[in-house]
Every structure is written in structure tokens, then in C-alpha cells.
Amino acid sequence: MALGNTGFSTCTESLSVPVPDKGEEPLEEAPIDAPPPTVKNASEVLGHVVSTEVAPPPHPATNNNMSFQDKLAAREAQANQPRKKIQGAGPERGRFGWGRSKRRKRQRYVEKNGSCNVQHGNMRETYRYLTDIFTTLVDLNWRCSLFVFVMAYAVTWLFFGAIWYLIAYCRGDLDHLEDETWTPCVNNVNGFISAFLFSIETETTIGYGHRVITDQCPVGTMLLLLQAILGSMVNAFMVGCMFVKISQPNKRAETLVFSRNAVISLRDDKLCLMFRVGDLRSSHIVGANMRAKLIKSKQTQEGEFIPLDQTDISVGFETGDDRLFLVSPLVISHEIDVRSPFWDMSQAQLEKEDFEIVVILEGMVEATGMTCQARSSYLAEELLWGHRFIPMMSLAEGFFDVDYGAFHHTFEVDTPSCSARELALAAARLDAHLYWSISSRLDEEKWEGPNLTEQTGKSTDSESVREGDGPTFIVVGVTNTLDQSVVGEQNGSVTTDQSESEA
């Protein structure tokens, strides 16, 4: 009964009293009047255990003659042992125990180094690769390309060497090696090794002069012509593949760098998405052109799901700002306007979005004249709201110095956290407020009593009008009408005088 009112009812498994087996001595009962010792401390310790793992209890003691108080004390000692925090057993918790949400890391469509993270699978029409064997060989990696290059020559040498050996064997040249009166097809061919060496000399046009074909073998003459033609074709094909592969401008893109992060801040009172691009080489990219794509899945109004939908992001196509003169690092800017996909995106919404921005720089390499393309991408968490790039160009003695150490560095600036739409609406409200406030002030000046009487008195005075230089417009609306009437009277009187003088 003493245990019924304590906090042990919720931890019955950890504080349950072991039942003696049959044949064992019964346990001594605790006196009813004596309160259980240290029950409060044990309940407090167990109450603090929230996300901890209790150490496994030791094996029960072999001595079954322990009293109930001793076993209870042993249970308390086990409860007081230090707990080990569970590693990875649940979501990460904040300061007050609330679950801390983590954004799921998006799988990149284009890596930061420009490689596309796409693999083609289940392609059954693999024969299409053989129809364009030249491009297939150029697209192979260097290990496979070198293997194909070596095997192409080795196979042709072995193939024609076997044919030369077969001709010598069929004609009986190998049986008349010591016969000086016998004219073989190829002199000094006494086995497969010598036939293989003659094949290499023929295809590579070395011509050492020791092994020579004779005029008594028309089959050998035809084979010599065929090997010379095929050898030239193999040389042209394989050397062309290696030359194109070596001169590919893929490595030129390694010296075209993009900033690690993109920033969003105000530029000319408009929100702009900006990133930086630079060229590390002194040889420039001719006709550099910049493009940007937004990669984001969407669902149409008809319910169609479009994964990785591509949307154009304007970086100055209408104004020609996308055509770059990339001599020094440039900051590419995208103005967030009504046509921008970020028109309704605020800072709070940006933290919840899941998209990818792919930037593409294309141009012609000045040294080789071949087209080069450099790519990079920015995820939503790589966009820094309220930041701006640090200037990295300074004027030195006779030249401009570019410090690439500050290429990726940014600094914080005051930027509203609202979307571009809200910012435009706020600017429109401010303009409307200024317009109506100025109009109301003009209306107050217009309808003031003393001023209106003075202006009407001055305008009706004909002498002042005739002596003055012309009508004066003081208050909009009233003075204009009055001055027009006075001018009419003036013109009428003048015409009357002129008609009287004519008569």
C-alpha cells in the first residue's frame, strides 16, 4: 500500500519486485508503518529521463535471501547510473525540446563544377552509338580511348602478319628456307614473328630493307596494296580522334569561375538576383554569352506533374546585357519584375522553396577558335538575401588590379524582406499618396476666400489688363476663365476701333 501513492506506478518494469521461484525461501515483508526510503529521489531522477537510454540492468543476484529494502536500494542505484544519450534515435531537438526541422538537401541537376548529374538507363537501341562511331570514340574517357588506340594498331598488325605467314606456309616458303634457288613470296620470312615484323614495317612504311616482297607472288602484291590503304585509313581515323579529343575546350571551362553563392539585394530601388563570373586566363572568351535557367518541378492546372521544369531567367537579353566583355570579373544581374519567376517570393518563402538555378556561359576560345561552355548552379539555400558582392578591382599605377581573393566574399546590406510584388505595391501607394497630398494642397489654395476675391478683382480691372504685359494665370481654373474673357473683350474693342477708322 505504501507503493501505491508513489511515482513508481509508471515504471513498474524497472521497479517490479522479483517473485521467488518454487522451492526458494519467501522474501521478508517490509513493515507497513515504515515509509519506503528515497522514493522521492528515485521518482525525480526517473522524471528527468526524456530521451535517454537506460543502461541494461545487471543480472539478478544469486543470493535470494536479500531483503526487500536491499533490493529496492539496488534498483535505486541502477536508476542513478549516468544515462547515455541516444544518438540518431529521433529528430534533432532545440533548446526547449521542440523538434527542429531540417530542409531536405536537394539533389543537384547540375553540379557546381558544371557536370550534369543525369544517367541514362534502359537504353535498348545501343546500335545508334555505332552509327556515329567517331563521336562515340571522342566521348570516351582517356583510359578507354588509349585502349582503343593501341588495340586498333595491334589488331591490324596481327591480322596482316597472320595473312603473310599463311601465304608463306601455303606456298611452301617455310620448307625451302635453305634452298637458294627457291624464290619466296617475301624474303627472310622464316616464321610468324618475322611475318608480324614485316606487317609492321609495311603498315608504318618503315622499310628496313631486310624483308622485301618479290615479284613472283601476285597474291602478296595485292595484300601489300590492301594493307597500305587500310593502314592509312586507320592512321587517319585514330589520329583524328586523338587530335579532336586533345583539342576539346572542356578544360578551358576550368578557368571560368562562378561565385559560390548568389545574392539578392536592391539595385536602383529594385530587387535583383546577382551572381559573379570571372575568367582566370589572360586569353579572353570571344563573344561571351550568359544564360540562366530555373529548374523546378511544377503541376499544371490539368493535374499534370512536370518534373524539373525549365524556365528562362532574363539576364539582359532584351537590352543586350547578356553579351559580355569578360576581361575582368562581372556581376550578372537579374531584375525581379513581373515576368520574373521570383516576383512573389519573399525572404521567408525563399527558405521554404526547393529549386535550382543553372547558369551557362558560352563563348569562343580565342586561342583555338572552338566553342566553350561553362556551367554552374545555385540551390535555394545558396541564395543570400540582403547581401552584396565585395568590390575586387582597384586602380594601380598604369593598370587595373583584380583581387581574386575577394571573388566569393559578400557583405550584408539593408534589404526589405518582402517580395518584389509587395515592394512595387508599396512604392505605388507612396506615389499615390504624394500625388493626392499635392492635389489637396492646391485645392486648399484654390478655394481660399480672400485670395479668390483679390484675384477676381485684379482680373476684372480693364485698365490693369490693358497696361500690363498680358493675362496672368495665378489660380488654376478661375483665373484662366477670367483672363480669357478679358482677352476677348480686349480683342473685341480693338476690332471695333479698326472698323470705325476704316469707315
Side-chain angles (χ1 to χ4, degrees), residues 416-452:
S417 60
C418 61
S419 63
R421 176 192 289 272
E422 297 173 353
L423 187 63
L425 290 176
R429 293 192 189 98
L430 180 60
D431 294 340
H433 175 72
L434 293 176
Y435 173 78
W436 289 110
S437 63
I438 294 173
S439 301
S440 61
R441 292 177 183 177
L442 291 176
D443 292 340
E444 291 177 359
E445 295 178 359
K446 171 182 175 181
W447 296 107
E448 285 181 357
N451 295 335
L452 181 62

Side-chain angles (χ1 to χ4, degrees), residues 153-454:
Y153 285 102
V155 169
T156 55
W157 294 339
L158 289 172
F159 175 74
F160 284 102
I163 295 179
W164 286 115
Y165 176 78
L166 183 62
I167 291 175
Y169 178 80
C170 294
R171 291 184 76 254
D173 295 341
L174 302 179
D175 298 333
H176 301 80
L177 296 177
E178 303 296 335
D179 190 359
E180 296 181 357
T181 61
W182 182 263
T183 304
C185 182
V186 180
N187 292 328
N188 300 317
V189 172
N190 53 10
F192 179 77
I193 300 299
S194 59
F196 176 70
L197 294 176
F198 178 73
S199 174
I200 296 176
E201 295 174 8
T202 302
E203 188 167 341
T204 57
T205 64
I206 296 176
Y208 292 112
H210 183 65
R211 299 176 183 90
V212 182
I213 188 172
T214 62
D215 55 357
Q216 301 296 324
C217 182
V219 178
T221 304
M222 298 298 297
L223 182 61
L224 180 65
L225 295 175
L226 180 62
Q227 184 175 4
I229 295 173
L230 292 180
S232 300
M233 295 176 62
V234 171
N235 288 333
F237 190 81
M238 298 309 302
V239 172
C241 288
M242 296 302 293
F243 175 77
V244 172
K245 190 170 182 65
I246 292 172
S247 61
Q248 274 186 330
N250 296 337
K251 296 302 180 182
R252 179 64 176 90
E254 298 293 334
T255 54
L256 297 174
V257 292
F258 294 88
S259 59
R260 190 179 298 110
N261 298 95
V263 298
I264 297 178
S265 60
L266 289 176
R267 176 177 279 190
D268 295 333
D269 295 334
K270 294 180 180 179
L271 280 178
C272 294
L273 170 67
M274 294 170 285
F275 58 93
R276 181 180 275 170
V277 59
D279 187 4
L280 301 180
R281 288 188 179 273
S282 57
S283 60
H284 310 306
I285 297 294
V286 180
N289 185 21
M290 177 62 66
R291 293 185 293 126
K293 292 281 187 179
L294 174 65
I295 309 298
K296 182 180 180 181
S297 302
K298 74 171 186 178
Q299 189 172 5
T300 62
Q301 298 180 358
E302 295 78 13
E304 179 187 3
F305 179 74
I306 304 177
L308 302 178
D309 181 63
Q310 299 184 11
T311 306
D312 283 333
I313 299 177
S314 177
V315 289
F317 177 77
E318 296 82 2
T319 59
D321 293 337
D322 60 332
R323 294 184 289 272
L324 310 178
F325 182 54
L326 196 59
V327 177
S328 61
L330 300 177
V331 176
I332 310 301
S333 175
H334 162 65
E335 181 179 339
I336 304 178
D337 52 7
V338 181
R339 295 171 295 178
S340 173
F342 308 108
W343 175 245
D344 296 321
M345 187 177 298
S346 61
Q347 183 179 5
Q349 187 178 1
L350 176 63
E351 298 176 356
K352 304 176 183 178
E353 288 291 334
D354 187 13
F355 60 85
E356 182 177 356
I357 300 175
V358 178
V359 292
I360 305 170
L361 175 63
E362 295 178 341
M364 186 174 63
V365 181
E366 186 180 21
T368 61
M370 303 184 70
T371 303
C372 173
Q373 185 182 86
R375 299 179 294 265
S376 186
S377 66
Y378 301 99
L379 298 179
E381 57 265 21
E382 294 175 347
L383 268 65
L384 304 179
W385 190 287
H387 283 245
R388 188 178 297 165
F389 286 106
I390 293 179
M392 51 184 301
M393 181 178 290
S394 60
L395 180 60
E397 295 182 0
F399 61 92
F400 293 94
D401 185 22
V402 178
D403 180 17
Y404 274 94
F407 185 81
H408 302 285
H409 295 176
T410 61
F411 64 97
E412 295 185 4
V413 292
D414 294 333
T415 305
S417 60
C418 61
S419 63
R421 176 192 289 272
E422 297 173 353
L423 187 63
L425 290 176
R429 293 192 189 98
L430 180 60
D431 294 340
H433 175 72
L434 293 176
Y435 173 78
W436 289 110
S437 63
I438 294 173
S439 301
S440 61
R441 292 177 183 177
L442 291 176
D443 292 340
E444 291 177 359
E445 295 178 359
K446 171 182 175 181
W447 296 107
E448 285 181 357
N451 295 335
L452 181 62
T453 305
E454 294 176 1

